[in-house]
């Protein structure tokens, strides 16, 4: 496999951290972004025992901060081959509770964070005439349920943004691939950050019964990166075998 420079947002835990470890083990240079510096530093040190990484403290809801992450990749490794938008959060609740702050945070991180990632790296990929976006949506992009309206809306937006970007880059023959990944229940820190305690309890029980390891998501993402450049894996949906919805 060719060595690639891979930027990962949301790399401080869960799916992003699992992807970073696997891709570094496969010989790629990984650039980690998230807000918790202690976690990034620890993961980067761990990866640097066997591979190559660097990190930048990043808030993806802020364009300047996200651009600084891209600049770190360019300064350290000279290019950006893959940009993985994994930063996200899922504080679900019923509309009647009026948790406006949570709605805005999900919109800022889950949607604007992805747009900021694209804006921070697309011109570089176009100049290189090669690149790939991996945007983490969710099975919640395909279906919704009570309490999940805003989260599902943000993930459906990620799906739509990804498909439009894919069509634009294909038409431009830019060599930029787009992959949208929709996981089901994955065992990460996601549920621990749900602010509505009743909703959180229900989710914890569900995740305890069904959730699978983030390594599974890392494996399918690595597969999409390792495909020959003339082939894009555009959509991946994966969930625990026994998860119904
Ligand atoms: P985690 O909570 O373990 O990871 C979320 C990551 O996002 C953390 O690294 C966190 O880092 C980062 N993050 C949150 N806000 C920001 C921000 N403003 N700027 C930069 N980074 C931020 O959850 P997961 O690994 O599960 O979540 C990863 C993605 O996968 C999310 O998009 C989620 O919606 C999606 N997903 C998860 C599923 C699951 O069941 N776990 C299922 C389907 C999709 P920090 O706090 O340090 O900034």
């Amino acid at each position: 496999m060719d060595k690639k420079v891979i930027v990962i947002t949301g790399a401080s835990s869960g799916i992003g951290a699992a992807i970073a470890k696997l891709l570094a083990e496969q010989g790629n240079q990984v650039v980690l972004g998230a807000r918790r510096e202690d976690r990034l530093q620890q993961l980067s040190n761990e990866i640097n025992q066997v591979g190559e990484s660097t990190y930048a403290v990043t808030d993806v809801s802020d364009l300047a901060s996200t651009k600084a992450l891209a600049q770190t990749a360019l300064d350290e490794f000279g290019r950006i081959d893959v940009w993985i938008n994994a930063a996200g959060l899922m504080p679900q609740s019923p509309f009647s509770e009026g948790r406006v702050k949570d709605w805005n945070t999900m919109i800022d991180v889950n949607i604007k964070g992805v747009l900021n990632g694209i804006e921070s790296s697309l011109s570089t990929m176009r100049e290189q005439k090669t690149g790939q976006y991996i945007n983490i949506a969710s099975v919640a992009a395909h279906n919704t349920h009570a309490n999940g309206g805003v989260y599902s809306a943000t993930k459906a937006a990620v799906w739509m943004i990804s498909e439009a970007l894919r069509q634009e880059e294909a038409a431009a023959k830019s060599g930029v691939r787009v992959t949208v990944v929709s996981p089901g229940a994955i065992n990460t820190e996601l549920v621990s950050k749900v602010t509505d305690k009743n909703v959180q309890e229900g989710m914890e029980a569900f995740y305890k019964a069904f959730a699978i390891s983030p390594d599974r998501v890392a494996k399918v993402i690595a597969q999409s990166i390792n495909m020959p450049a003339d082939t894009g894996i555009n959509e991946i949906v994966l969930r625990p075998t026994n998860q119904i919805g």
Side-chain angles (χ1 to χ4, degrees), residues 100-148:
V100 176
K101 191 164 169 268
D102 284 346
W103 304 344
N104 286 333
T105 309
M106 282 189 275
I107 290 165
D108 285 347
V109 177
N110 298 2
I111 302 179
K112 291 186 193 166
V114 170
L115 294 172
N116 288 341
I118 293 167
E119 171 60 15
S120 300
S121 51
L122 185 56
S123 58
T124 299
M125 292 187 194
R126 283 246 177 150
E127 275 166 33
Q128 293 170 174
K129 299 195 183 348
T130 178
Q132 184 173 2
Y133 287 97
I134 298 187
N135 297 329
I136 312 292
S138 168
V139 291
H142 300 259
N143 275 304
T144 194
H145 52 78
N147 306 331

Side-chain angles (χ1 to χ4, degrees), residues 10-16 34-36 58-61 86-89 109 136-138 151 155 183-186 188-190 193 207:
S12 60
S13 66
I15 293 171
R35 292 165 306 170
R36 287 171 293 177
T58 308
D59 181 347
V60 296
S61 66
L89 68 173
V109 177
I136 312 292
S138 168
Y151 182 69
K155 292 304 186 176
I186 310 295
T188 67
E189 296 177 11
L190 198 69
K193 294 167 196 164
Y207 271 66

